[in-house]
Amino acid sequence: MASVLLQNSSSIPLTHWVAGAAIEGTSGRVSQVTNPATGEVTGQLPLASAEESARVIEAAKAAFPAWRDSSLAKRTRVLFRFRELLDARASELAEIITSEHGKVLSDAAGEVARGQEVVEFACGIAHLIKGSMTENASTNVDVSSIRQPLGVCAIIAPFNFPAMVPMWFFPLAIAAGNTVVLKPSERVPTAALWMARLWKEAGLPDGVFNVLNGDKIAVDALLTNPDVKSVSFVGSTPIARYVYETATASGKRVQALGGAKNHMVVLPDADLDLAADQAINAGFGSAGERCMAISALVAVGSIADALVEKISARGAALRTGDGRRRCQMGPLVSKAALERVTRYIDAGEAAGATLVLDGRKGEFDADGDGFFVGPTLFDNVSPDMSIYTDEIFGPVLSVLRVDTYEQAVELINSNPYGNGTAIFTNDGGVARKFQNEVEVGMIGINVPVPVPMAYYSFGGWKNSLFGDTHAHGVEGVHFFTRGKVVTTRWVDPAERAEGSGINLGFPQNT
C-alpha cells in the first residue's frame, strides 16, 4: 500500500514545498496545468514572487549546516531508502508524468528508470568523494585532499523530463551534503512535488530538498541570490546562455545544457532495416520532445530512396494518441508547442522539401482537444531550410542526402550544436574514424540515442553546453563539491625544543 504521504496526481496540491511541508503560494499569480492528451485544465500552479523565492532559498540555507555535518553513513542510508521507495512506486511517478507531459506510459517508465540510475550512482557517494593522503611528502610533512559541499544548489528543470532531468542533479547534490532548491517547469510541476514527499518519507531532514514553483521571477531569484552557490539548468540554447551569463556574473558555478540538432548518419553498408527502426525510435519517441532526439537523418550515397521508403512505412503505422492508451506516441506538451511545430511543417513544405509523411493530418486515439502532431517525414531537405537549422522539438524528421562520408561529417561539424550524433555502419574502421573526427559530445555507433549511463557524464559541445562541467558521473560529483588540500606538520617532541629556525626563503620540499 502506498504511503499516506504519496497520493495520485489529482490529489497532490499544487504548492511550493519548503522545509518539509507544502506551502501555499501568496503572490496571487498562477499558471494553468493541462493534460495535453485532452486539453483539459487540471490545476492552477502558484508562481512565486521574488520574496517567496527568497524565503525558499533561506530555508535551504538554514538546513545546510546540519546536513553538511551529517556523516556519510547517515546520508547514504537516506539515499538507499529513497531508492527503495522509488523502485516500489515508480509506476505512480510514471502516471504523473504522462498526465502532465503526455508521453506514453512506457516512455515515462523509462524516464523514471534512467533517473533512478543516478540515484543508485549517488548511493556510492562515500567512495566518490573520498580524498587522498600522502605521508611524508616533505620531511615530517603530510599532504591530504578533501572534497566538501557547496551549500544551496539550484536546479532549473525543463518540461520534457520532469523526473529524469532533476534526478541527474539532486541525488549527487544531496549525497555530497548540499541542500537543493528545485524549480520545475510550470507545465509539469507535480512530479517534483511527488518526489519531495518521497524524500520526506525516506528520512531526509526538512529543508534539504525544496520545490519552488514559478516563472522568470523565480528563475532570476535563483540566478542572482548570493546564498545560491550553483545552478544546474537544462533547456533551450537562448535560455541556457542567459542562465549561464546571469549566474556566473553573480559568482555561481553553472552547468547549463542547451539545445540540439542531432544527426544520424547512415552509410551504404548499414543494415537499413535496423537504421529505419532506430530512426523511428529516435525521431518520434516522446513526440520528438527530447534534446537527444534525432531530427536530421543524413543518408549517404544510393541508399536514400530505400531508407526513406522504409521509414515512411514504419512511421505511417505508428498509433498516436492518449499516452494512457495503447498508443506508441503521445501529444505535444501544449497548444503553443502544437502551433510551433505546425508552423515548421508549413515552412518546410513552402521551402520545397518533399513532405513524405504529414503529421498535421490523421486520426488520433484520444478524447477532447489534445495537442497532437503525428509522425512527420521530410525528404530532400537542404541545410538552409528552417526545418534543418532550427531545433523544432517535435516529431519532425528531416532527411538530407549526401554523396560521401566526408560530406556527412562536414555537415555535422559545421552545425552550431554539438549535443549528440549517431552513425549506422558495419565498418568498424569507419566508425572509429567517425568517433574521432566528429565534433559532438555524445556519439552513438549503431545506437541512435547515446545517453550515457549514470557513471559517465552527460553533455554536449558548442551551443549545446554552457559551462565546463557535464551532468552526473564523476563530473557531476566534482560540480557539487569543491576541493581542499591540507598540508600538515606535527613537530617531533624531540625537535620542538630546538626550534625550527627562521628562513624567509620560499618553502622547499626536502
Side-chain angles (χ1 to χ4, degrees):
M1 179 180 295
S3 163
V4 294
L5 286 171
L6 300 176
Q7 310 153 65
N8 63 44
S9 61
S10 62
S11 60
I12 294 177
L14 296 182
T15 64
H16 309 295
W17 183 267
V18 187
I23 303 297
E24 297 288 343
T26 60
S27 72
R29 299 186 307 119
V30 297
S31 66
Q32 292 183 340
V33 178
T34 62
N35 181 339
T38 64
E40 174 193 6
V41 175
T42 58
Q44 303 287 333
L45 182 73
L47 302 177
S49 64
E51 293 75 20
E52 287 176 292
S53 302
R55 286 195 291 272
V56 177
I57 294 167
E58 180 58 35
K61 179 184 177 183
F64 172 63
W67 183 242
R68 173 196 59 200
D69 294 337
S70 295
S71 69
L72 283 170
K74 290 180 179 178
R75 286 190 229 151
T76 303
R77 278 197 292 271
V78 174
L79 263 291
F80 268 98
R81 180 60 176 152
F82 181 84
R83 176 200 175 277
E84 291 167 358
L85 292 170
L86 184 55
D87 261 354
R89 300 170 191 164
S91 61
E92 295 178 28
L93 184 53
E95 289 173 3
I96 289 171
I97 293 167
T98 294
S99 70
E100 290 185 347
H101 173 272
K103 64 180 68 175
V104 299
L105 275 170
S106 60
D107 193 21
E111 170 184 345
V112 176
R114 293 308 302 266
Q116 177 76 313
E117 292 174 9
V118 185
V119 178
E120 293 170 351
F121 178 66
C123 287
I125 194 65
H127 175 75
L128 296 169
I129 64 171
K130 69 180 181 182
S132 61
M133 193 268 189
T134 301
E135 185 181 37
N136 223 34
S138 187
T139 304
N140 294 331
V141 174
D142 304 329
V143 180
S144 61
S145 67
I146 56 178
R147 299 204 70 83
Q148 295 182 324
L150 307 176
V152 179
C153 299
I155 300 169
I156 304 169
F159 73 84
N160 58 328
F161 287 102
M164 184 185 75
V165 166
M167 281 194 276
W168 282 353
F169 305 111
F170 68 65
L172 290 174
I174 290 172
N178 300 285
T179 57
V180 166
V181 177
L182 168 61
K183 197 215 82 69
S185 166
E186 307 95 291
R187 300 170 189 166
V188 289
T190 306
L193 295 166
W194 186 94
M195 290 187 289
R197 286 163 168 77
L198 200 71
W199 273 120
K200 187 174 180 69
E201 184 171 350
L204 189 70
D206 293 345
V208 176
F209 183 82
N210 307 274
V211 178
L212 172 66
N213 283 304
D215 52 11
K216 187 176 185 297
I217 291 175
V219 169
D220 285 344
L222 294 172
L223 300 184
T224 59
N225 189 302
D227 290 328
V228 175
K229 303 304 180 183
S230 74
V231 176
S232 301
F233 171 86
V234 178
S236 70
T237 288
I239 301 178
R241 183 181 285 109
Y242 171 80
V243 166
Y244 176 76
E245 292 175 351
T246 306
T248 53
S250 297
K252 306 182 192 313
R253 286 189 179 186
V254 183
Q255 45 185 181
L257 285 68
K261 197 69 185 183
N262 303 318
H263 299 73
M264 173 175 158
V265 177
V266 182
L267 296 184
D269 70 324
D271 181 329
L272 294 190
D273 286 310
L274 172 66
D277 287 343
Q278 298 307 315
I280 290 288
N281 295 340
F284 303 135
S286 198
E289 292 179 324
R290 295 172 177 164
C291 68
M292 292 296 288
I294 292 296
S295 56
L297 189 148
V298 185
V300 179
S302 60
I303 61 164
D305 287 343
L307 184 58
V308 168
E309 183 178 349
K310 289 177 181 293
I311 295 172
S312 176
R314 287 161 168 79
L318 289 181
R319 188 178 184 87
T320 302
D322 192 323
R324 297 165 296 184
R325 300 182 181 180
R326 293 180 178 238
C327 298
Q328 294 154 297
M329 194 177 87
L332 295 166
V333 72
S334 67
K335 184 177 180 181
L338 167 65
E339 293 171 346
R340 185 192 69 248
V341 172
T342 300
R343 286 195 299 270
Y344 274 110
I345 298 172
D346 295 342
E349 194 173 26
T354 304
L355 185 55
V356 181
L357 285 178
D358 188 350
R360 298 168 299 185
K361 303 173 182 177
E363 296 182 359
F364 305 114
D365 185 8
D367 300 323
D369 297 318
F371 312 129
F372 293 100
V373 173
T376 299
L377 176 65
F378 278 106
D379 191 10
N380 298 304
V381 175
S382 61
D384 61 331
M385 295 179 181
S386 64
I387 55 173
Y388 173 75
T389 59
D390 298 354
E391 184 181 27
I392 300 174
F393 226 62
V396 180
L397 180 61
S398 297
V399 177
L400 297 92
R401 299 178 178 227
V402 298
D403 295 325
T404 65
Y405 161 86
E406 288 76 16
Q407 290 173 337
V409 172
E410 173 59 26
L411 187 68
I412 297 170
N413 288 348
S414 63
N415 194 277
Y417 295 108
N419 204 45
T421 190
I423 187 169
F424 279 72
T425 179
N426 285 314
D427 188 328
V430 173
R432 190 173 186 277
K433 179 179 173 67
F434 181 79
Q435 71 182 42
N436 178 60
E437 293 178 341
V438 74
E439 297 171 4
V440 174
M442 293 172 285
I443 300 165
I445 297 172
N446 298 320
V447 175
V449 184
V451 177
M453 297 294 289
Y455 40 85
Y456 287 91
S457 295
F458 179 102
W461 288 12
K462 299 188 281 191
N463 283 347
S464 294
L465 176 74
F466 298 89
D468 297 325
T469 306
H470 293 178
H472 57 72
V474 174
E475 290 189 57
V477 175
H478 287 177
F479 180 79
F480 290 114
T481 58
R482 52 185 175 179
K484 281 184 178 177
V485 177
V486 181
T487 303
T488 305
R489 180 182 182 188
W490 294 108
V491 179
D492 188 286
E495 298 176 353
R496 189 178 300 142
E498 301 176 7
S500 60
I502 295 175
N503 184 346
L504 301 186
F506 193 81
Q508 300 180 42
N509 297 324
T510 57

